[in-house]
Amino acid sequence: MKRIQTLCITMLAVTTAAASKMEISDTTAVGLDEVVVSASKWRQYSAEQPKRISLITPGQALFENPQTAADLLELSGNVYIQKSQLGGGSPMIRGFSTNRLLYAVDGIRMNTAIFRSGNLQNVISLDPFVMERTEVLFGPGSVIYGSDAMGGVMSFTTKNPVFSSAPGSVKVKGSATARYSSANNERTGHFDVSVGGRKWAFLTSFSSFAFDDLKQGRHGPADYLKPYLVQRQDNVRDVAIANPDPLVQSPSGYSQINLMQKIGFRPTEQWDLQYALHYSETSDYARYDRHTRIKKGLPQYGEWNYGPQIWMLNQFTARHAARHLFYDQMAIRLALQRFEESRIDRKFNKKDRNTTKETVDAYSAGVDFTKDIARHTLYYGLEYVRNNVHSHGTETNVESNEEKPSFARYPQAQWQSYAAYVQALFRLSGKLNLEAGLRYNYYSLSADFSNNGLELGFAPKQRNHKGAVSGSLGLTYRPAADWLLSLNAGRGFRTPNVDDMGKLYDSVDGSVVVPNPELKPEYAHNVELGVVKTFGNFLKFDLSAYYTHLDNAMVRRDYQLNGKSRMTYKGEEANILAIQNAASAYVAGFQLGCHAVLPMGFGYNMQLNLQHGREELDDGSKSTIRHAAPFFGRAAVTYQYDRLTMELYSQFQAKRSFKDMPETEKGKTEIYALDSDGNVFSPAWWTLNLKAQYRQGKHLLLNAGLENIADRRYRHYSSGISAPGRNFIASVTYMF
């Protein structure tokens, strides 16, 4: 455990100064030896890690003022964020998204058995104010994290209570923040306080977020304007009225609260015990892209909302540090999570409102070990995960308020995973390291469809169980102090979940998707080359080139049930479809970064991302892979003088023309701009933004920013809602 509170550091072009641990993590000096935890769940130097990892520090978050955890991830410059509504944010990493990426909070997986292949909003449940560090591991991470860690891992480490080092004393530490943003009239407040003695410590955190409808920029495609609003008149009919301000994307506003409570206990110097409670709840929030759909000249929907998104995590962690025969450090993690989400929709001028509600109780137990053997390090562990899925549907007559049971989105189901892994870091010499890892996963899935009361045409109880193996092998070579070369190969996997095998629904008119108990895991095979070069302590370049092949991909295809290709569903004849292991895909690309410390307090940071991917379609032809974003990046010039820090930066995306659009996106005229031929495309865009921070003494931070200075109207690729127009941000933080 760290006991040092301050350090004195001296670097070329950096003034010698006393700094707190948080400030050290945000220093602008360049180097090759950042400390990371996402690669093994234990602290290790990035120079020994062959995988590419981006780190987002608390200082960055405090300076940039991200509204959500999705916006926090975007600060890396290497994660692309898709949004279908203001209350959302679906990360896209190296051509992968949704259930092919993994979220972890303090080492606990957030992914559940109903994570779908469509866009996910679960990351907004996290509170950006409580993050001690946020790391993005690129490429497969299944050896350590298991299923779903195919394209990358987003690891969030939250703040811990602070213990006192002096006998009989109590250490109190905390902060309070108030923030306002003009584009959506944001009103955000946050407060956290830590009180600690020698053995006991407590941390309490609370955040409240409130957002009105989001206003987009004035200059850009007219296709993104919202010319109408839907109103319900006298509870009898829906009418479309003119939007008083077509720049305002209504409905899109929502609110959210986050609570975190941690209790730490250190009975001895070797043991560290902690209980943590995380709770997050949103209001209802509209799925904005559904509110822009037009059918026969009228809005398609009178209502389309997500109900409150609720996440609760109870976690107990026990850490033991002592030299034993089998380990030097041990961490036991026990967790219970509960997820609640619902979907509420009603067609325009229809009286029946359909609601589906899903709850998932996720239990997990894991133990992780490290052991130093000579100059080498061994990481190994065991993990068990169980998800209990409950789903039900109701239909409400909005005129009479009468309710009756309706079709559930999912069966009542249980998904379980048992796993063991081992990873070893061999320090072969002072310049060469070898890392190798292996994991075996066995999973089982059982689903009961009788909650829908349909004539299914198949047994109401379905089962699926198989094993999956993943591995990794990587080299790091440091020929000189200013060079780092890495080569890494890895295999990630995703096991079928309840959304894959258990979702019974109308995919399109005249077709129905049924369960396929023969589904097998899909695999991502990745190879990556990395180069990092520093010039003194003032300039660093890093480049990663990668190729990933997706095999046994789970996709929707025509299917036969009991030898028949059609069935009666909801009283009508329908074609039968099912998710099957029937396709392959690939993604190739590079990530380039530059970090420079310039004279007179200036600095420069840049991240560029280029990726290209193709996937196999039903007819055997190839199409651009859906979640491979166009060329994008971030470039910033920074300035620091005394207590003032400033940043002028640009974010940008290249154009994606109609011919390069994925086949699945070409019909989505409601979310894309239209070219001269009336075909969808994603226009290029760039923004200019200015941020400033002034530190008044030791306790007060004043922040101000002006985003999208040119007031451009633009959308991220594949997004259903435009980004904010010109946006003024102001915040004040008091630290004690």
Side-chain angles (χ1 to χ4, degrees):
M1 301 299 171
K2 286 196 171 181
R3 300 288 186 186
I4 297 175
Q5 298 302 311
T6 61
L7 292 176
C8 192
I9 56 176
T10 305
M11 291 186 178
L12 182 64
V14 178
T15 304
T16 301
S20 70
K21 289 180 285 186
M22 180 181 292
E23 290 166 337
I24 289 172
S25 68
D26 292 331
T27 180
T28 56
V30 301
L32 300 179
D33 293 306
E34 287 181 331
V35 174
V36 296
V37 298
S38 56
S40 63
K41 295 185 182 179
W42 299 97
R43 296 171 64 88
Q44 63 181 127
Y45 288 114
S46 59
E48 295 182 333
Q49 176 52 239
K51 301 181 182 70
R52 183 185 179 100
I53 298 172
S54 286
L55 172 65
I56 303 167
T57 65
Q60 271 182 281
L62 198 58
F63 180 80
E64 299 288 353
N65 276 301
Q67 289 189 341
T68 68
D71 300 329
L72 175 70
L73 289 169
E74 196 172 35
L75 298 181
S76 69
N78 295 309
V79 178
Y80 195 87
I81 300 297
Q82 182 277 348
K83 291 187 179 182
S84 298
Q85 62 275 330
L86 180 60
S90 187
M92 298 163 63
I93 300 176
R94 293 188 174 184
F96 292 89
S97 187
T98 61
N99 56 16
R100 289 170 176 161
L101 301 175
L102 189 127
Y103 306 83
V105 181
D106 294 332
I108 302 297
R109 60 180 287 134
M110 278 189 74
N111 295 42
T112 73
I114 63 171
F115 269 33
R116 59 192 183 277
S117 59
N119 298 308
L120 290 168
Q121 328 308 327
N122 297 73
V123 71
I124 71 167
S125 293
L126 303 179
D127 184 355
F129 284 106
V130 303
M131 297 304 161
E132 184 63 36
R133 59 193 296 123
T134 301
E135 295 179 21
V136 182
L137 182 151
F138 297 92
S142 289
V143 169
I144 300 297
Y145 292 95
S147 178
D148 307 354
M150 301 175 73
V153 175
M154 291 155 285
S155 175
F156 299 89
T157 302
T158 60
K159 294 179 181 179
N160 287 315
V162 180
F163 289 85
S164 173
S165 57
S169 68
V170 175
K171 184 167 186 177
V172 179
K173 183 179 180 181
S175 68
T177 297
R179 185 172 68 212
Y180 172 80
S181 298
S182 63
N184 53 12
N185 195 30
E186 176 196 9
R187 292 90 65 203
T188 287
H190 166 78
F191 174 80
D192 67 78
V193 60
S194 172
V195 180
R198 286 291 301 274
K199 290 184 177 292
W200 289 90
F202 304 84
L203 172 63
T204 301
S205 171
F206 178 79
S207 299
S208 173
F209 307 85
F211 310 102
D212 291 345
D213 293 336
L214 179 64
K215 188 173 185 177
Q216 57 189 324
R218 292 185 178 277
H219 311 293
D223 304 290
Y224 297 159
L225 296 174
K226 182 73 184 300
Y228 67 88
L229 301 175
V230 174
Q231 285 188 354
R232 184 77 176 166
Q233 289 190 344
D234 301 322
N235 202 30
V236 173
R237 62 173 183 159
D238 296 318
V239 294
I241 64 172
N243 187 351
D245 186 350
L247 297 179
V248 175
Q249 301 173 99
S250 180
S252 59
Y254 77 104
S255 61
Q256 178 174 326
I257 60 169
N258 283 79
L259 171 69
M260 182 177 77
Q261 178 66 58
K262 289 191 173 183
I263 303 172
F265 177 53
R266 289 179 177 171
T268 68
E269 288 294 317
Q270 290 76 36
W271 281 98
D272 190 336
L273 310 179
Q274 186 181 99
Y275 166 76
L277 167 67
H278 297 262
Y279 181 83
S280 173
E281 182 175 353
T282 70
S283 64
D284 287 9
Y285 56 96
R287 178 163 173 177
Y288 179 77
D289 63 342
R290 290 292 192 262
H291 287 267
T292 61
R293 284 189 174 182
I294 300 294
K295 189 173 184 179
K296 296 181 179 180
L298 291 172
Q300 185 172 355
Y301 290 97
E303 301 177 47
W304 213 118
N305 298 320
Y306 287 107
Q309 179 173 293
I310 299 174
W311 170 65
M312 182 173 64
L313 166 63
N314 289 275
Q315 180 182 3
F316 173 76
T317 304
R319 296 179 181 271
H320 187 222
R323 289 198 170 273
H324 283 272
L325 177 63
F326 296 107
Y327 68 87
D328 297 329
Q329 296 182 84
M330 175 185 68
I332 300 172
R333 297 179 177 90
L334 307 175
L336 166 61
Q337 297 179 83
R338 185 173 179 87
F339 300 81
E340 292 186 18
E341 59 185 53
S342 54
R343 293 163 178 81
I344 306 149
D345 71 87
R346 182 178 57 82
K347 295 291 182 67
F348 189 77
N349 267 329
K350 299 296 183 181
K351 63 181 180 179
D352 294 326
R353 177 191 295 130
N354 299 301
T355 302
T356 61
K357 182 178 180 179
E358 289 75 49
T359 60
V360 180
D361 293 315
Y363 305 85
S364 62
V367 56
D368 301 288
F369 303 93
T370 69
K371 177 64 180 176
D372 289 332
I373 304 173
R375 60 183 182 183
H376 313 300
T377 303
L378 184 68
Y379 309 93
Y380 63 101
L382 302 170
E383 182 189 60
Y384 169 72
V385 180
R386 188 180 83 192
N387 283 190
N388 294 336
V389 178
H390 305 277
S391 179
H392 69 273
T394 58
E395 183 180 288
T396 304
N397 185 309
V398 296
E399 296 177 2
S400 65
N401 287 324
E402 293 181 0
E403 288 189 358
K404 63 179 180 180
S406 184
F407 300 106
R409 182 177 175 87
Y410 297 111
Q412 311 309 314
Q414 185 178 92
W415 181 90
Q416 297 184 87
S417 169
Y418 311 80
Y421 78 90
V422 60
Q423 182 169 286
L425 175 62
F426 300 99
R427 299 176 179 90
L428 303 179
S429 70
K431 297 182 176 181
L432 182 65
N433 296 324
L434 170 68
E435 184 183 79
L438 186 68
R439 181 187 185 101
Y440 177 75
N441 235 96
Y442 176 83
Y443 74 92
S444 66
L445 194 165
S446 59
D448 186 349
F449 291 84
S450 58
N451 60 323
N452 268 327
L454 294 171
E455 293 293 332
L456 297 172
F458 57 85
K461 295 185 178 181
Q462 299 282 322
R463 291 186 58 83
N464 180 280
H465 55 91
K466 288 180 176 62
V469 177
S470 61
S472 65
L473 184 64
L475 288 168
T476 59
Y477 178 56
R478 199 165 181 171
D482 55 356
W483 278 97
L484 179 64
L485 308 177
S486 61
L487 180 64
N488 180 60
R491 186 193 205 199
F493 70 93
R494 186 174 76 85
T495 61
N497 65 15
V498 175
D499 188 84
D500 299 313
M501 197 193 87
K503 188 161 60 177
L504 183 69
Y505 69 106
D506 305 291
S507 62
V508 293
D509 291 339
S511 297
V512 60
V513 177
V514 301
N516 176 12
E518 300 304 317
L519 272 177
K520 297 179 292 185
E522 58 182 12
Y523 291 93
H525 305 268
N526 179 75
V527 61
E528 179 173 349
L529 174 66
V531 180
V532 184
K533 168 63 176 172
T534 63
F535 298 87
N537 284 353
F538 61 89
L539 182 61
K540 179 171 77 171
F541 288 98
D542 61 89
L543 173 68
S544 296
Y546 59 90
Y547 176 88
T548 307
H549 179 77
L550 180 63
D551 195 21
N552 269 2
M554 291 182 246
V555 292
R556 193 172 60 209
R557 294 284 190 266
D558 290 333
Y559 188 69
Q560 287 194 347
L561 190 63
N562 300 322
K564 297 180 180 179
S565 60
R566 293 179 64 82
M567 66 179 288
T568 301
Y569 180 68
K570 297 182 181 179
E572 297 181 2
E573 281 292 306
N575 296 320
I576 299 175
L577 306 174
I579 304 295
Q580 302 171 57
N581 299 102
S584 62
Y586 77 87
V587 183
F590 73 81
Q591 294 170 284
L592 174 65
C594 173
H595 178 67
V597 179
L598 304 175
M600 300 177 64
F602 285 94
Y604 179 74
N605 291 283
M606 178 190 69
Q607 294 292 335
L608 302 177
N609 299 265
L610 178 65
Q611 52 197 268
H612 174 73
R614 304 282 285 177
E615 61 184 340
E616 186 180 357
L617 301 179
D618 295 9
D619 59 4
S621 62
K622 302 290 185 180
S623 170
T624 300
I625 196 167
R626 177 185 176 189
H627 292 126
F631 175 75
F632 72 97
R634 188 181 195 273
V637 176
T638 60
Y639 175 74
Q640 186 166 4
Y641 176 76
D642 195 20
R643 300 174 180 178
L644 176 67
T645 303
M646 300 182 70
E647 179 186 51
L648 180 67
Y649 69 96
S650 175
Q651 290 179 283
F652 44 86
Q653 174 207 291
K655 174 184 175 180
R656 174 155 289 173
S657 65
F658 176 74
K659 67 181 181 64
D660 293 326
M661 292 288 285
E663 288 298 318
T664 56
E665 300 295 286
K666 289 183 176 180
K668 298 179 180 179
T669 56
E670 72 274 14
I671 69 172
Y672 291 105
L674 302 180
D675 62 21
S676 58
D677 296 321
N679 296 319
V680 301
F681 78 108
S682 182
W685 55 263
W686 66 276
T687 64
L688 188 64
N689 315 272
L690 179 65
K691 299 281 179 70
Q693 182 183 87
Y694 184 77
R695 182 182 292 269
Q696 178 62 47
K698 296 181 179 180
H699 303 290
L700 191 63
L701 278 180
L702 303 175
N703 281 68
L706 188 61
E707 297 179 334
N708 193 3
I709 295 172
D711 206 17
R712 302 299 304 173
R713 182 162 60 245
Y714 69 98
R715 283 185 183 177
H716 287 65
Y717 160 76
S718 192
S719 292
I721 189 169
S722 299
R726 187 180 294 124
N727 184 32
F728 172 72
I729 303 171
S731 71
V732 56
T733 299
Y734 183 78
M735 298 176 291
F736 56 91

